[in-house]
Amino acid sequence: MNYFYSFCFLIFTTILVAQETNYAQNLNHTVKGEPVYLESQVDSKPKLMYGENGMYRFMSRNFKFPKNEAAVQKIICSFIVELDGSISDIKIVNDVPENFKKEAIRVMTKFDEPWYPAIKDKKQVRCQYILPIVIDRI
């Protein structure tokens, strides 16, 4: 249980720190159809229907820490929040070992809680979302 609380604390701390780094400028999502907006370009950012705590609980329960790796890894995950509330085009945008990338994408793919899409000019739009994740093996 201590691991869970430590994990959540580190994630919340990381969110504050990661917001200072602008990863959104360097991303080239391969999507077709409606335009994809950055979080800074919309009036209302995408939100999880049941709150971010559910995502962090899900991550802490399902992320399998790769063996023989460093104790702490910061993973910056980028994805598109679609008009129907699903996520697509999951990418890891920072430099982490390949096994961390695969595991983060695997877990994010399994996460099926719906999102409220972003709003721009009173219309729902597709939006790129940046999610910083800190995995700390205690």
Side-chain angles (χ1 to χ4, degrees):
M1 195 61 141
N2 280 343
Y3 175 76
F4 173 73
Y5 292 116
S6 297
F7 181 78
C8 288
F9 175 76
L10 288 171
I11 289 176
F12 290 124
T13 304
T14 302
I15 288 172
L16 296 174
V17 172
Q19 287 175 349
E20 296 174 7
T21 306
N22 189 0
Y23 288 95
Q25 294 177 354
N26 299 328
L27 300 180
N28 294 314
H29 282 280
T30 55
V31 294
K32 297 176 183 172
E34 296 287 322
V36 176
Y37 295 92
L38 302 176
E39 287 180 82
S40 61
Q41 297 173 316
V42 296
D43 302 326
S44 176
K45 296 178 183 181
K47 295 180 183 96
L48 274 168
M49 192 170 283
Y50 302 111
E52 288 185 359
N53 288 341
M55 176 180 283
Y56 298 134
R57 279 193 302 274
F58 182 84
M59 293 291 286
S60 67
R61 290 180 186 150
N62 292 283
F63 192 92
K64 295 176 183 161
F65 196 90
K67 295 179 182 177
N68 303 322
E69 291 292 341
V72 178
Q73 287 290 325
K74 180 178 179 179
I75 303 170
I76 307 298
C77 185
S78 171
F79 51 89
I80 305 297
V81 177
E82 299 289 345
L83 297 174
D84 65 359
S86 64
I87 62 173
S88 66
D89 202 33
I90 302 167
K91 293 183 177 188
I92 306 304
V93 297
N94 62 331
D95 187 28
V96 295
E98 190 63 30
N99 50 1
F100 276 93
K101 288 181 182 182
K102 287 179 182 177
E103 183 62 10
I105 290 171
R106 182 192 72 80
V107 174
M108 288 299 300
T109 302
K110 285 178 58 177
F111 185 74
D112 61 356
E113 183 178 319
W115 289 73
Y116 290 114
I119 304 291
K120 181 173 178 66
D121 299 328
K122 299 181 182 179
K123 180 183 171 191
Q124 292 182 341
V125 294
R126 300 169 79 200
C127 184
Q128 173 186 298
Y129 191 87
I130 304 294
L131 178 71
I133 305 167
V134 170
I135 307 297
D136 186 9
R137 180 171 53 183
I138 298 174

